[in-house]
Amino acid sequence: MNKQNLINDYIALGDCLKQIPDNIIDLAQQHNQWFSPAYSRMSGENWGKALNRSDIEYWLKDAVMTEDKEAVGIIMAGNIPFVGLHDLLSVLATGRKALVKLSSTDEILMKYAIESLIKINTEYANYIEISERLNDAAKIIATGSNNSARYFDYYFRNKATLIRKNRTSMAVLTGKETKEELECLADDIYQYYGLGCRNVTHILMPRTMDLHLLYTSLDKYMDHVNHHKFYNNYIYHKSILLMNLTKHYDNGFMIFQEKDALNAPLGTLNYHYYDNADEVKKYIDDNREQIQCVASNDLSITEAIPLGTTQAPLLWQYADNINTLEFLNQSVASH
């Protein structure tokens, strides 16, 4: 396996992900009702765009391929389609064998990606193994909840680990956003029904901004209320707030609450106002360990990515800002 062949194979995989067969899409939805056909296809198309030659070459420019066949265990999440694919491609990019523990909620699409890669180049059959037990792995990459992270820390305490916990994302508005920019924010909030760590659950806005300006920009996702799982979450939280006489706003398919908390339950969105840039910086600094990304068109926020781009990260925009390739290429003895 050499880097140039790997790049060509990843480009070919991207082409496969752009055109997932209908039967795979339908089966994925039957297996997990959150995986609607539109979102499964969108995820595949985003991966197809990401796996282009120039971006792959830039991402892998410093990747070091080993010949030691060291096995790396990957415990995948399954909250959104193909969420574990980046870890798999990272492991393969360093020449290591991937022992993959699939999420029960994303078996269909991930198996399609793995089988597609093996069809492109049968050599990957020697480098990918779907397994429930990861005892033979020298390193572990695990993604899950804060509770599962404690279990992973203990169970894999004698191995080198990269363990990701719960994170969520936020947006910062200036009050000068156009209708089109606010519609991009709607993408950040609602795509994948809000189940991803890159979905915005909290908005910071200037005190002079009218909250109702957001309502019309979010209407493009009004049909989410027809998804019974999303609707059940929305109705559940709405009922609690009504019973407790808690102040909130309701646009018919999402609950808005003015509160400082970064995380908001599914079907709800938190927001609060700021008076100056220092308050924005402090909020980001105080919550940095729980923030996956910050969406904003405010160029003064150095870590911000443009509104509407949270669900299409570049290959080198790593989850939790931890460089997976660097972790893989660290010697086991150093952990």
Side-chain angles (χ1 to χ4, degrees), residues 77-231:
N79 49 320
I80 65 174
F82 297 112
V83 71
L85 184 56
H86 193 281
D87 287 336
L88 175 61
L89 298 183
S90 297
V91 171
L92 297 177
T94 61
R96 292 165 168 83
K97 180 176 181 178
L99 300 179
V100 178
K101 188 178 189 307
L102 295 173
S103 167
S104 61
T105 56
D106 191 17
E107 290 183 6
I108 307 302
L109 294 176
M110 278 305 306
K111 283 181 178 177
Y112 169 76
I114 291 170
E115 290 165 3
S116 297
L117 201 50
I118 292 172
K119 286 180 182 177
I120 291 165
N121 184 342
T122 56
E123 191 174 355
Y124 290 109
N126 300 318
Y127 285 85
I128 305 172
E129 178 183 337
I130 296 176
S131 176
E132 287 297 311
R133 299 184 64 83
L134 306 179
N135 295 346
D136 295 335
K139 292 186 174 79
I140 298 291
I141 300 174
T143 304
S145 66
N146 290 344
N147 286 334
S148 62
R150 285 191 286 270
Y151 167 78
F152 295 149
D153 275 329
Y154 176 78
Y155 191 80
F156 299 115
R157 61 191 179 279
N158 296 321
K159 298 180 185 292
T161 57
L162 192 170
I163 297 174
R164 306 189 188 101
K165 304 176 183 179
N166 286 346
R167 288 204 180 209
T168 190
S169 298
M170 61 172 289
V172 180
L173 301 180
T174 65
K176 299 177 182 178
E177 287 79 12
T178 64
K179 183 176 184 295
E180 291 74 19
E181 288 174 324
L182 291 177
E183 288 180 350
C184 287
L185 171 62
D187 296 338
D188 296 329
I189 296 168
Y190 288 109
Q191 285 179 348
Y192 305 116
Y193 300 104
L195 289 168
C197 62
R198 300 181 69 87
N199 283 105
V200 167
T201 58
H202 188 100
I203 298 176
L204 266 174
M205 61 179 71
R207 195 169 299 280
T208 54
M209 185 172 179
D210 184 357
L211 177 66
H212 293 276
L213 289 175
L214 288 177
Y215 282 10
T216 55
S217 65
L218 303 183
D219 282 350
K220 63 191 274 193
Y221 286 97
M222 188 177 294
D223 65 343
H224 275 22
V225 78
N226 296 320
H227 188 283
H228 72 280
K229 286 182 173 288
F230 184 88
Y231 179 75

Side-chain angles (χ1 to χ4, degrees), residues 253-288:
F253 61 103
M254 177 71 91
I255 302 296
F256 297 78
Q257 280 189 278
E258 184 177 355
K259 56 194 302 187
D260 289 345
L262 177 66
N263 286 279
L266 194 66
T268 73
L269 183 71
N270 293 341
Y271 70 93
H272 80 276
Y273 297 104
Y274 68 88
D275 294 303
N276 55 63
D278 289 340
E279 292 178 5
V280 174
K281 182 179 184 304
K282 184 178 187 306
Y283 186 85
I284 294 174
D285 288 342
D286 289 348
N287 293 278
R288 192 171 297 280

